[in-house]
Amino acid sequence: MSRPEVEAVFSHDVVIVGAGIAGLAAALGAAPRPVALLTKTRLGEGGSSPWAQGGMAAAVGADDSPALHAADTLAVSGGIGDPEVVAVLAAEGPGVVDRLLDLGVELDRDAAGHLALGREAAHSRRRILHAHGDTTGAELVRALSAAVRRAAHVRVFEQLFAEDLVVEKGRVVGLVARRADGRRELHLARAVVLATGGIGQVYGCTTNPPEVTGDGLAMAARAGARLADLEMVQFHPTALAAGADPMPLLTEALRGEGAILVDAAGRRFMVEEHPLAELAPRDVVARAIHRRLEAGERVFLDARRAVGEAFPQRFPRVFGLCQEHGLDPRRQPMPVAPAAHYHMGGIASDLDGRTSLPGLWVCGEASSTGAHGANRLASNSLLEGAVFGSRVAGDLKRNLGPLLPAPRLHDLPPPRAAAPEVEAAVEAEVRQLMTRHVGVVREAAGLREALERFEALEAAHPALGGEARNLLLVAQLVTAAALARQESRGGHFRADFPGTDPAQARRSFWVLGADGELRAVQEEGAEPVIAAGARA
C-alpha cells in the first residue's frame, strides 16, 4: 500500500470497539464468529467498568422479581423510560448473573453462602450484587478479560484509538484507527459494534476515567447515525470533593447502608427534601447538594455510625481513596459534590443493539435504548452492559451482511491533528464550559453562551483531532439538545423551566446533518421536525 492514509488493512467478521463489560460480553457471546476487539488502553485496564463500585442490580432475591425491578427502574426514569426495554433488562438480569458466576466472577456471599444483596437509592428491594465490597466492576472486568484472552475466536488490538467510521453507500463497512505511534489502520468488517462507554470527560467535574471521551457517540454522529436523549446526563451526588480530577466516587452503597448527608453544622438535610431522604433518586439528591454548594456551604457524607470501623473490610476502595486524600472516613465525614457520572443519552438502538445505520451496532453506555429514560436507577449500568452486550452478540450470530470491497483510499476520512498544546487547551475550555453551563442546573443564557464559544473553537481549530475533536462535538450535541428541551425532567434541570411539562413526556431523537446542524427527528423517521437552534 503506497498511499499515506493508512499503513495496514485488516478484514474481520466483527469489530468491537471498547473493552468494558458491554464490549467484553459482546465479544464472548459472538463465538464462534471471529471478533476483533479494539481497546484504547490495555485490556482489562481502561474505561468506566473497572471503576464501578456500587454493584450490579438483578432480581435474584427471594422477595424480589423482574417485575419489581422493572417497576423501580421506570419509577425513576422521568416518565420516558421504554417499558419494553426495561422489561427485557430486568427479566434477563438473573440469567446474566448465572453466566458471570460460570465465568468465575467472585460475588460476595453471606454467612450461609447465599449471594449477598445490598440496597441503593430508589430500589424497593435489596438486589445489588457486589464483589469484594466495592470493587464490583473491577472483578467483572477481570473475569471477562481473562475469558476473552482464552477465547480462540477473539483477536485483541490494544492501545488503538478508533478515529472514524467508514461508510459506503449508507452502510458502515469498517473504521479507521490510530496506533500509539501515530500510524493509521483500516479495519474492514461485516459488522462494527461500538461499546465505547460514556462522555464523562466532557465535564471538568466527573467520576469517569480520562479515556472516557465520548468517542463512539462522536464517530456515530459524524457518520449520520440517529442519536437519542442527548441532554440526559446523570450527575452522581457523592463524589469526593478533594481537588482530584477525576473525582473519586463514593459509592451509593454507603447511603444504602445508612450513611447520611449533612451540612457543615452536622445537620442532616435530605429528610426535608424527599420522603426517601438519602435514598431518593440521584437527580434529586444531586440538586439538593448543588443548591447548598452554590450558596457557599459545604456538604459531607457521614458514614461514621453506619460503617465505622468496618470501612476497610466493607468498602476497601472508598477507604483507600479517602486515605490517599488524607481522610479517615471512620473518624470524619467526607466532603462531597455532584459530578458527571453517566450518560442516559447516546446512539439510538433497538433491543438487539441495531442502530439506524446498516452494519453498525452499539451496546453499553454508548447506546440509548430507553432503558434509563431521563434518570438511571442505581447499579443498572453494569447490568445493561452485560444484558445488551449479550443481545448484540446473539444478533450478530444470526444477521451479518457481506464483507464489502475495500473503500478507495482517497474516500477514507483524512488524518486530523492539531498541536498537542492546542488540543489540551481546547479540552480544558470545553470541560470548564460544560461544568459551568450544562451541569446539574441549566438555563438558556448559559447554554447559548456555551454553544457560541464551542462554535468559535470549532472555527478556530478546523484540523482538531483525537479526543479533543470528539469532546468538542459531544459538548455541542449535549448543549444543543439541552437548549431544545424547555422543561425539567430527570437528570435534565432547567432553572428557567423548572416544571415538568406533560406535553414533553417523550424521548428526544436527533441526527447531525452534513451541514453540522443537529436536528430533532421523529422516532419513526428522519424528517426534521424542529431545529435545535445551534450548530453541532
Side-chain angles (χ1 to χ4, degrees), residues 155-179:
R155 180 180 181 185
V156 178
F157 292 78
E158 296 180 305
Q159 294 184 298
L160 197 64
F161 177 68
E163 290 186 322
D164 277 298
L165 297 171
V166 178
V167 182
E168 282 276 309
K169 298 179 180 179
R171 181 182 181 86
V172 173
V173 298
L175 58 87
V176 174
R178 176 168 42 83
R179 293 171 52 170

mmCIF file of all heavy atoms in Angstrom, residues 155-179:
data_model
loop_
_atom_site.group_PDB
_atom_site.id
_atom_site.type_symbol
_atom_site.label_atom_id
_atom_site.label_comp_id
_atom_site.label_asym_id
_atom_site.label_seq_id
_atom_site.Cartn_x
_atom_site.Cartn_y
_atom_site.Cartn_z
ATOM 1 N N ARG A 155 -9.557 -11.733 18.660
ATOM 2 C CA ARG A 155 -8.230 -11.147 18.494
ATOM 3 C C ARG A 155 -8.258 -9.743 19.098
ATOM 4 O O ARG A 155 -9.095 -8.924 18.722
ATOM 5 C CB ARG A 155 -7.837 -11.075 17.020
ATOM 6 C CG ARG A 155 -6.452 -10.468 16.776
ATOM 7 C CD ARG A 155 -6.115 -10.414 15.301
ATOM 8 N NE ARG A 155 -4.790 -9.848 15.068
ATOM 9 C CZ ARG A 155 -4.273 -9.603 13.866
ATOM 10 N NH1 ARG A 155 -4.983 -9.889 12.764
ATOM 11 N NH2 ARG A 155 -3.070 -9.080 13.740
ATOM 12 N N VAL A 156 -7.372 -9.475 20.041
ATOM 13 C CA VAL A 156 -7.387 -8.207 20.766
ATOM 14 C C VAL A 156 -6.351 -7.255 20.180
ATOM 15 O O VAL A 156 -5.193 -7.626 19.972
ATOM 16 C CB VAL A 156 -7.101 -8.437 22.265
ATOM 17 C CG1 VAL A 156 -7.078 -7.101 23.014
ATOM 18 C CG2 VAL A 156 -8.148 -9.368 22.872
ATOM 19 N N PHE A 157 -6.789 -6.029 19.911
ATOM 20 C CA PHE A 157 -5.904 -4.950 19.464
ATOM 21 C C PHE A 157 -5.877 -3.913 20.580
ATOM 22 O O PHE A 157 -6.864 -3.218 20.830
ATOM 23 C CB PHE A 157 -6.416 -4.301 18.177
ATOM 24 C CG PHE A 157 -6.358 -5.175 16.962
ATOM 25 C CD1 PHE A 157 -7.305 -6.172 16.753
ATOM 26 C CD2 PHE A 157 -5.349 -5.004 16.017
ATOM 27 C CE1 PHE A 157 -7.263 -6.977 15.628
ATOM 28 C CE2 PHE A 157 -5.298 -5.804 14.875
ATOM 29 C CZ PHE A 157 -6.257 -6.802 14.680
ATOM 30 N N GLU A 158 -4.750 -3.813 21.286
ATOM 31 C CA GLU A 158 -4.651 -2.895 22.414
ATOM 32 C C GLU A 158 -4.045 -1.562 21.994
ATOM 33 O O GLU A 158 -3.336 -1.460 20.996
ATOM 34 C CB GLU A 158 -3.802 -3.519 23.522
ATOM 35 C CG GLU A 158 -4.412 -4.781 24.127
ATOM 36 C CD GLU A 158 -3.552 -5.379 25.205
ATOM 37 O OE1 GLU A 158 -2.356 -5.658 24.933
ATOM 38 O OE2 GLU A 158 -4.052 -5.568 26.323
ATOM 39 N N GLN A 159 -4.341 -0.537 22.792
ATOM 40 C CA GLN A 159 -3.815 0.818 22.600
ATOM 41 C C GLN A 159 -4.036 1.298 21.156
ATOM 42 O O GLN A 159 -3.128 1.785 20.495
ATOM 43 C CB GLN A 159 -2.336 0.873 22.975
ATOM 44 C CG GLN A 159 -2.106 0.618 24.464
ATOM 45 C CD GLN A 159 -0.659 0.767 24.873
ATOM 46 O OE1 GLN A 159 0.216 0.033 24.397
ATOM 47 N NE2 GLN A 159 -0.397 1.718 25.748
ATOM 48 N N LEU A 160 -5.275 1.143 20.720
ATOM 49 C CA LEU A 160 -5.665 1.535 19.365
ATOM 50 C C LEU A 160 -6.857 2.484 19.484
ATOM 51 O O LEU A 160 -7.894 2.115 20.057
ATOM 52 C CB LEU A 160 -6.038 0.303 18.555
ATOM 53 C CG LEU A 160 -6.085 0.448 17.034
ATOM 54 C CD1 LEU A 160 -4.711 0.769 16.475
ATOM 55 C CD2 LEU A 160 -6.614 -0.832 16.390
ATOM 56 N N PHE A 161 -6.707 3.686 18.952
ATOM 57 C CA PHE A 161 -7.736 4.707 19.062
ATOM 58 C C PHE A 161 -8.581 4.740 17.790
ATOM 59 O O PHE A 161 -8.071 5.021 16.704
ATOM 60 C CB PHE A 161 -7.087 6.072 19.288
ATOM 61 C CG PHE A 161 -8.059 7.219 19.346
ATOM 62 C CD1 PHE A 161 -8.951 7.337 20.397
ATOM 63 C CD2 PHE A 161 -8.089 8.184 18.350
ATOM 64 C CE1 PHE A 161 -9.848 8.391 20.464
ATOM 65 C CE2 PHE A 161 -8.979 9.240 18.405
ATOM 66 C CZ PHE A 161 -9.864 9.347 19.462
ATOM 67 N N ALA A 162 -9.862 4.411 17.930
ATOM 68 C CA ALA A 162 -10.773 4.449 16.783
ATOM 69 C C ALA A 162 -11.098 5.898 16.461
ATOM 70 O O ALA A 162 -11.633 6.627 17.294
ATOM 71 C CB ALA A 162 -12.031 3.665 17.093
ATOM 72 N N GLU A 163 -10.806 6.318 15.226
ATOM 73 C CA GLU A 163 -10.980 7.717 14.843
ATOM 74 C C GLU A 163 -12.312 7.984 14.148
ATOM 75 O O GLU A 163 -13.027 8.924 14.503
ATOM 76 C CB GLU A 163 -9.841 8.151 13.901
ATOM 77 C CG GLU A 163 -8.501 8.256 14.560
ATOM 78 C CD GLU A 163 -7.452 8.823 13.611
ATOM 79 O OE1 GLU A 163 -7.470 8.485 12.411
ATOM 80 O OE2 GLU A 163 -6.612 9.595 14.084
ATOM 81 N N ASP A 164 -12.626 7.182 13.120
ATOM 82 C CA ASP A 164 -13.813 7.448 12.321
ATOM 83 C C ASP A 164 -14.368 6.157 11.745
ATOM 84 O O ASP A 164 -13.610 5.241 11.384
ATOM 85 C CB ASP A 164 -13.492 8.400 11.162
ATOM 86 C CG ASP A 164 -13.505 9.852 11.582
ATOM 87 O OD1 ASP A 164 -14.577 10.337 12.012
ATOM 88 O OD2 ASP A 164 -12.452 10.499 11.502
ATOM 89 N N LEU A 165 -15.692 6.101 11.642
ATOM 90 C CA LEU A 165 -16.335 5.023 10.911
ATOM 91 C C LEU A 165 -16.169 5.247 9.416
ATOM 92 O O LEU A 165 -16.079 6.385 8.950
ATOM 93 C CB LEU A 165 -17.818 4.962 11.255
ATOM 94 C CG LEU A 165 -18.161 4.645 12.711
ATOM 95 C CD1 LEU A 165 -19.652 4.824 12.961
ATOM 96 C CD2 LEU A 165 -17.731 3.229 13.080
ATOM 97 N N VAL A 166 -16.131 4.159 8.672
ATOM 98 C CA VAL A 166 -16.083 4.224 7.210
ATOM 99 C C VAL A 166 -17.441 3.773 6.681
ATOM 100 O O VAL A 166 -17.907 2.674 7.009
ATOM 101 C CB VAL A 166 -14.952 3.341 6.643
ATOM 102 C CG1 VAL A 166 -14.958 3.395 5.121
ATOM 103 C CG2 VAL A 166 -13.602 3.806 7.195
ATOM 104 N N VAL A 167 -18.081 4.631 5.900
ATOM 105 C CA VAL A 167 -19.427 4.371 5.392
ATOM 106 C C VAL A 167 -19.386 4.309 3.872
ATOM 107 O O VAL A 167 -18.867 5.219 3.216
ATOM 108 C CB VAL A 167 -20.422 5.457 5.848
ATOM 109 C CG1 VAL A 167 -21.822 5.141 5.351
ATOM 110 C CG2 VAL A 167 -20.402 5.584 7.371
ATOM 111 N N GLU A 168 -19.916 3.239 3.301
ATOM 112 C CA GLU A 168 -20.013 3.064 1.854
ATOM 113 C C GLU A 168 -21.471 2.859 1.479
ATOM 114 O O GLU A 168 -22.105 1.898 1.952
ATOM 115 C CB GLU A 168 -19.201 1.839 1.406
ATOM 116 C CG GLU A 168 -17.719 2.073 1.317
ATOM 117 C CD GLU A 168 -17.318 2.693 -0.014
ATOM 118 O OE1 GLU A 168 -17.710 2.157 -1.072
ATOM 119 O OE2 GLU A 168 -16.622 3.723 0.010
ATOM 120 N N LYS A 169 -22.014 3.772 0.681
ATOM 121 C CA LYS A 169 -23.391 3.662 0.196
ATOM 122 C C LYS A 169 -24.377 3.448 1.342
ATOM 123 O O LYS A 169 -25.267 2.604 1.296
ATOM 124 C CB LYS A 169 -23.507 2.537 -0.838
ATOM 125 C CG LYS A 169 -22.653 2.768 -2.081
ATOM 126 C CD LYS A 169 -22.767 1.628 -3.071
ATOM 127 C CE LYS A 169 -21.901 1.882 -4.308
ATOM 128 N NZ LYS A 169 -21.973 0.757 -5.280
ATOM 129 N N GLY A 170 -24.183 4.203 2.414
ATOM 130 C CA GLY A 170 -25.100 4.168 3.543
ATOM 131 C C GLY A 170 -24.874 3.054 4.541
ATOM 132 O O GLY A 170 -25.607 2.960 5.532
ATOM 133 N N ARG A 171 -23.855 2.216 4.321
ATOM 134 C CA ARG A 171 -23.582 1.096 5.235
ATOM 135 C C ARG A 171 -22.220 1.276 5.877
ATOM 136 O O ARG A 171 -21.244 1.628 5.199
ATOM 137 C CB ARG A 171 -23.626 -0.235 4.487
ATOM 138 C CG ARG A 171 -23.381 -1.433 5.394
ATOM 139 C CD ARG A 171 -23.385 -2.755 4.644
ATOM 140 N NE ARG A 171 -23.177 -3.860 5.572
ATOM 141 C CZ ARG A 171 -24.148 -4.464 6.251
ATOM 142 N NH1 ARG A 171 -25.404 -4.093 6.059
ATOM 143 N NH2 ARG A 171 -23.893 -5.439 7.088
ATOM 144 N N VAL A 172 -22.147 1.022 7.172
ATOM 145 C CA VAL A 172 -20.857 1.041 7.854
ATOM 146 C C VAL A 172 -20.086 -0.219 7.468
ATOM 147 O O VAL A 172 -20.587 -1.341 7.639
ATOM 148 C CB VAL A 172 -21.055 1.109 9.389
ATOM 149 C CG1 VAL A 172 -19.717 0.954 10.105
ATOM 150 C CG2 VAL A 172 -21.710 2.427 9.780
ATOM 151 N N VAL A 173 -18.883 -0.027 6.947
ATOM 152 C CA VAL A 173 -18.083 -1.153 6.459
ATOM 153 C C VAL A 173 -16.776 -1.302 7.216
ATOM 154 O O VAL A 173 -15.966 -2.167 6.892
ATOM 155 C CB VAL A 173 -17.800 -1.020 4.951
ATOM 156 C CG1 VAL A 173 -19.099 -1.040 4.162
ATOM 157 C CG2 VAL A 173 -16.999 0.246 4.641
ATOM 158 N N GLY A 174 -16.573 -0.485 8.226
ATOM 159 C CA GLY A 174 -15.336 -0.582 8.988
ATOM 160 C C GLY A 174 -15.025 0.720 9.682
ATOM 161 O O GLY A 174 -15.891 1.590 9.847
ATOM 162 N N LEU A 175 -13.760 0.860 10.071
ATOM 163 C CA LEU A 175 -13.331 2.086 10.742
ATOM 164 C C LEU A 175 -11.848 2.302 10.535
ATOM 165 O O LEU A 175 -11.100 1.373 10.214
ATOM 166 C CB LEU A 175 -13.669 2.027 12.236
ATOM 167 C CG LEU A 175 -13.100 0.871 13.053
ATOM 168 C CD1 LEU A 175 -11.692 1.174 13.585
ATOM 169 C CD2 LEU A 175 -14.018 0.557 14.225
ATOM 170 N N VAL A 176 -11.453 3.544 10.721
ATOM 171 C CA VAL A 176 -10.040 3.909 10.700
ATOM 172 C C VAL A 176 -9.593 4.127 12.134
ATOM 173 O O VAL A 176 -10.289 4.774 12.928
ATOM 174 C CB VAL A 176 -9.805 5.187 9.873
ATOM 175 C CG1 VAL A 176 -8.351 5.631 9.976
ATOM 176 C CG2 VAL A 176 -10.177 4.953 8.416
ATOM 177 N N ALA A 177 -8.451 3.556 12.493
ATOM 178 C CA ALA A 177 -7.941 3.661 13.859
ATOM 179 C C ALA A 177 -6.481 4.084 13.826
ATOM 180 O O ALA A 177 -5.777 3.899 12.824
ATOM 181 C CB ALA A 177 -8.096 2.331 14.591
ATOM 182 N N ARG A 178 -6.035 4.669 14.926
ATOM 183 C CA ARG A 178 -4.663 5.157 15.026
ATOM 184 C C ARG A 178 -3.958 4.444 16.171
ATOM 185 O O ARG A 178 -4.472 4.354 17.290
ATOM 186 C CB ARG A 178 -4.660 6.671 15.247
ATOM 187 C CG ARG A 178 -3.278 7.272 15.463
ATOM 188 C CD ARG A 178 -3.308 8.800 15.383
ATOM 189 N NE ARG A 178 -4.441 9.376 16.062
ATOM 190 C CZ ARG A 178 -4.492 9.618 17.371
ATOM 191 N NH1 ARG A 178 -3.478 9.259 18.141
ATOM 192 N NH2 ARG A 178 -5.564 10.186 17.907
ATOM 193 N N ARG A 179 -2.761 3.966 15.892
ATOM 194 C CA ARG A 179 -1.944 3.316 16.901
ATOM 195 C C ARG A 179 -1.241 4.346 17.760
ATOM 196 O O ARG A 179 -1.219 5.550 17.469
ATOM 197 C CB ARG A 179 -0.915 2.402 16.235
ATOM 198 C CG ARG A 179 -1.539 1.210 15.528
ATOM 199 C CD ARG A 179 -0.549 0.442 14.686
ATOM 200 N NE ARG A 179 0.659 0.061 15.417
ATOM 201 C CZ ARG A 179 1.581 -0.775 14.955
ATOM 202 N NH1 ARG A 179 1.421 -1.321 13.754
ATOM 203 N NH2 ARG A 179 2.639 -1.071 15.651
#
